[in-house]
Amino acid sequence: MEDHTPLGSQDNPLSSCATSTNGEILGSSPVLPSLGKQHGNKPRKAPTITPRTFTRFFTPKSSLERGGRIGASRQALRDITASASNRKRRRTPTKDTIQVYNEYGEGTVGTSKRRKRRIPDSPDVTPDRSSPLKRIRNQSLDISEDEGSDTGTTDFIDDPEDPLRKPGRHFKSIEPIIGSKYRGAQGRYLRREIGIHSRASESQCLGLSVWVSKDWQQETTNFLTRPEDAHVCTNVANPSEHTIPFCTASCNTNTLVAIGDEDGGVRLLESAKDGKPEFSKAYLAFRPHANAVLDLAFSPDDLLLATASGDQTSQVIDMPTQRATYTLAGHVSSVKQVCFQPGSSNVLASSSRDGSVQIWDLRCKGFDAPVRDIRVSLGPSSSDTTRSSAPNKVTWARSVNTIFEAHASQQPVSTSSATNGKPAPSFDAPSKTESPGRKGDVSITSLSFLQPGRDHLLLTASEANATVKLWDLRTTHNHRRSRAKPLSSTLQPESHNRYRHFGLTSLSLSGDGGRLYTLCRDNTIYAYSTSHLILGHAPELSTSFSKPRRSGGPEREGLGPIYGFRHPKFHATTFYVKSALRPAEDDKSEMLAVGSSDGCAVTFPTDERYMQRSNHQRMPSSDSPFPRSRPSLTRTDSSTGLSTRLEDTIPIYQHGSALIRGHSRELTGLTWTPRGELITVGDDFVARCWREDGADARDLRLGGEREGRRWNCGWAEAEEGWDDDDG
């Protein structure tokens, strides 16, 4: 028994408080802490703290008593919060209090050989069912008798409170998913969805190794076209004469497509399979130009149609009335392309063969059109002058920004000219036979706005080289004192610097704006990262950047292409060959389609999961860190392709499918409809609609020519053996 001494007793030397006769402390006395009874003369020191005592103090008592084992509640919590069950291995059961049900549904309790944890007495005792961990602990677990086995089976018994619980019901642990053994197109589609290949092993199914698949053909080999999906283009003024279609564009809100021809006519066709009239017959036709229509573009609401023509003008046509309301006249040569700014029906951009880019705003006050059109016939049989009043009021739009000589090459000053103080002659100086008005300008073949949010940035390409330039339209470029400078210019492919330069014919932006695809004259589609159009710190690419650069700023460098696409049946021998991209929507994947001088379109899936190491051409290795000089001009075998002579330094992929038998001559323009159909036009006077139907496309590939079943049809090619698994 310890000796409890009152605070007021004499045994407490520090106490000066008075106490009552019964030992209670008086209210007027200060309360001082009591010092423990001392043993000996030396004061008692605090215990020494060692690493062992520190660890033992901060380690839960339950862990020390179990020897480091994990309790059932904690293990149950880990089980329900673990990752995928397919990758989870069966654990060795732990010794704990368990409840086992026999075959009659009767429960028995078995205890493990571990010491029960002592719970200190507390006035605030929490009920047993107040903690979710206690509920998990009360669940019954059926553990295998062999505690040392690593393959013990754990069976979960229903919660007694579960209304669906049945006595004696056991749940086995989840087994790994085994690949489907179904063959054919449906089986391949199922395996692709769950990420399992038919020839993949179990380790590959579990994601332990990377497997190279050819399932990209599931997306590209389903296209076909029937005789009723072909439209023969004729002259709008004289239907008995055939005319070559040059371009096509699809509406954004319906299934109509517009086709422009070499005679200046525009016709609208219904692309829906069950639409009226059918695709082979024109929905309506009109003629806005007297020269060829080279490009078409619909406004976001489809109420306006912009045209680019060889008569050096563009027209903005009101589609409900099919009459021109605005004329865009500012170029001095053929207009190559026109496009609307994303999300706007008032701002347009046009590029021309004269090397300039014009920006138009229909909200600005324009000029009045001539009130009378006077045409004089130069034929010998007629000398009369024809005068006709303007049928409707047309406004000549005003250009709000102009980029002159957008892609003209800048020749550095030579040593001899520097001494004389005169600059060296330009690389693209006009020849003696060239028109003085052209000045040797480099044709701007294509342009494209960036995605919404960065739609004030414009991309341009030219016939001179594979460089893509980025422009900020908020910067004023329309003064001729100094040449306009873009924000950045991308690097050319290294193979071009070693061989020769090739121009670009078309630009296509991916649906999310992350990739830019350029169609090059070297029979390659190059892919660029739009986030690296400017290397280094690039606030201009931010959607929140609101300070446009002043005119005359430095031109920065952009990253070159990161990979490319090629196909044996894809050749771009002219600048009329274009490309079009279908954005991913609903069950349609993103896909890039390009024309070809071989008379067929080629489709490439842009999903980068198909771009495996073995699917691209092997890049040559060079021991020298310096680029080799351009080879001398030598006679080569005509049968050798251009791609074999180019030394690529980036991956080149060839997983594309050609759409054959649809056209007999060069295929130039193409576009995608909102429903995913592909519209193509060619120099054989035919426009075609390609639809997706895997069964019919396979039937055309395997059915042969018997009974004329392939007459006037086209289909997508497939690699050898692709259709053998079906059946």
Side-chain angles (χ1 to χ4, degrees), residues 5-12 15-19 23-25:
T5 306
L7 293 177
S9 64
Q10 296 179 359
D11 293 339
N12 192 349
S15 178
S16 58
C17 304
T19 58
E24 296 180 355
I25 301 175

Side-chain angles (χ1 to χ4, degrees), residues 228-229 254-257 269-280 673-675 677 679 689 691:
E228 59 271 16
D229 297 326
N254 54 70
T255 57
L256 292 175
V257 294
L269 307 178
E270 176 59 65
S271 64
K273 188 174 183 179
D274 53 351
K276 298 295 180 181
E278 58 186 9
F279 187 81
S280 59
T673 66
R675 292 187 178 182
E677 293 92 353
I679 309 298
C689 179
R691 310 183 191 277

Side-chain angles (χ1 to χ4, degrees), residues 548-560:
R549 190 188 68 172
R550 294 185 178 181
S551 179
E555 179 179 350
R556 303 179 62 180
E557 190 177 82
L559 185 67

Side-chain angles (χ1 to χ4, degrees), residues 253-333:
T253 60
N254 54 70
T255 57
L256 292 175
V257 294
I259 297 176
D261 56 49
E262 64 173 347
D263 293 326
V266 176
R267 74 198 71 240
L268 265 66
L269 307 178
E270 176 59 65
S271 64
K273 188 174 183 179
D274 53 351
K276 298 295 180 181
E278 58 186 9
F279 187 81
S280 59
K281 299 179 181 179
Y283 183 81
L284 61 89
F286 55 95
R287 189 183 181 189
H289 293 277
N291 206 327
V293 177
L294 302 179
D295 192 39
L296 295 170
F298 279 99
S299 62
D301 55 4
D302 294 331
L303 296 179
L304 300 177
L305 175 66
T307 63
S309 175
D311 60 5
Q312 304 179 6
T313 64
S314 296
Q315 301 280 352
V316 179
I317 302 170
D318 180 53
M319 289 308 298
T321 60
Q322 296 94 50
R323 293 185 180 275
T325 56
Y326 291 92
T327 298
L328 314 180
H331 297 287
V332 295
S333 188

Side-chain angles (χ1 to χ4, degrees), residues 666-688:
E666 183 179 49
L667 192 151
T668 54
L670 30 75
T671 187
W672 294 93
T673 66
R675 292 187 178 182
E677 293 92 353
L678 177 64
I679 309 298
T680 59
V681 297
D683 289 351
D684 54 356
F685 314 114
V686 177
R688 282 195 173 271

